[in-house]
Amino acid sequence: MTVSCALFTALIIIGGYISIPVGPVPLVLADFFVMLTGLFLGARYGAVCLTMYLALGAIGLPVFAGGKAGLAVFWGPTGGFLFGYLLAVVAVGFIMGRNKGSLGKGSLVRLLAALVAGNVLLYLCGVPWLKAVTYLSWPAALGAGLVPFLPGAMIKIAAAFALGRALLPRFRPLGDERCLS
C-alpha cells in the first residue's frame, strides 16, 4: 500500500503542475487525481496520500499548483481548495466503500454520486475561503472560484467515472493482502 500511496501522491503533484491561470485560482488536474485517489485507495489511504501531499507542500517542496510551496499557500486564495482536497478524497472513498470490485448498476450510481459529492465538498471549502481571504463579494467569489471551473469539473467527473468504471473491477492496490490469495 505504501507504493500505491506514493504513486497517487505523485499523480496529485503532477496534476498541480498542469496549471492554467484563471484569476486567483488556477485550473489544475490535481483535483482529478484527488478523486481518483479516493476511488482507488479509499477514504483511509486517500487521506494518507493527501496528508503526505499537504505536508510536502507545508515543508517547502514545490508541490502545489504552479510549483508553489510553504505555509503561506495554505492561507492564500487557494488554501480552502487544499483543505477541500482532503475532505473530497475522504468523501469519495467513504461513499465508494469496500465494494469497489463489483460495479453493478447501483454501484455506478454510487460511483457518480461519490465523484459529484467530492467536487461539491471541494468547492464548498474553496469558494468561501477564497471569499474570506480576498474580501470578495459572494457573486465575485463564485465568479472567480466556481463558475469558470464548472465545465472542467464536469469533464473531470466524466473522465474519472469512465476510468473508475473500467479499472476499479481490476484494481488491487500494491501490498493489498487480497493479492496474495
Side-chain angles (χ1 to χ4, degrees):
M1 193 50 83
T2 303
V3 173
S4 295
C5 285
L7 172 66
F8 278 92
T9 301
L11 287 172
I12 295 167
I13 292 167
I14 291 166
Y17 275 94
I18 302 170
S19 174
I20 301 167
V22 186
V25 180
L27 176 64
V28 296
L29 285 181
D31 56 333
F32 172 72
F33 290 115
V34 166
M35 299 305 152
L36 288 181
T37 301
L39 286 179
F40 287 97
L41 299 186
R44 182 172 38 151
Y45 289 111
V48 168
C49 291
L50 261 294
T51 302
M52 287 189 327
Y53 169 72
L54 296 173
L56 290 170
I59 63 171
L61 295 175
V63 298
F64 299 140
K68 294 182 181 173
L71 292 174
V73 178
F74 287 99
W75 309 120
T78 60
F81 291 97
L82 293 174
F83 295 118
Y85 284 165
L86 186 57
L87 286 178
V89 77
V90 169
V92 170
F94 179 77
I95 292 169
M96 285 306 294
R98 301 179 65 82
N99 300 322
K100 293 180 265 188
S102 59
L103 287 176
K105 188 175 183 178
S107 295
L108 291 177
V109 171
R110 191 171 65 233
L111 171 61
L112 183 59
L115 295 169
V116 170
N119 275 275
V120 167
L121 283 172
L122 174 64
Y123 289 103
L124 280 176
C125 287
V127 174
W129 187 280
L130 174 68
K131 178 192 179 310
V133 170
T134 58
Y135 303 103
L136 294 172
S137 65
W138 275 112
L142 291 170
L146 176 65
V147 175
F149 303 100
L150 288 177
M154 287 188 276
I155 292 168
K156 292 175 205 176
I157 288 170
F161 180 85
L163 281 171
R165 184 174 182 198
L167 298 178
L168 276 174
R170 296 170 183 82
F171 182 75
R172 292 284 188 253
L174 297 173
D176 189 347
E177 60 278 354
R178 293 175 292 176
C179 293
L180 301 176
S181 55

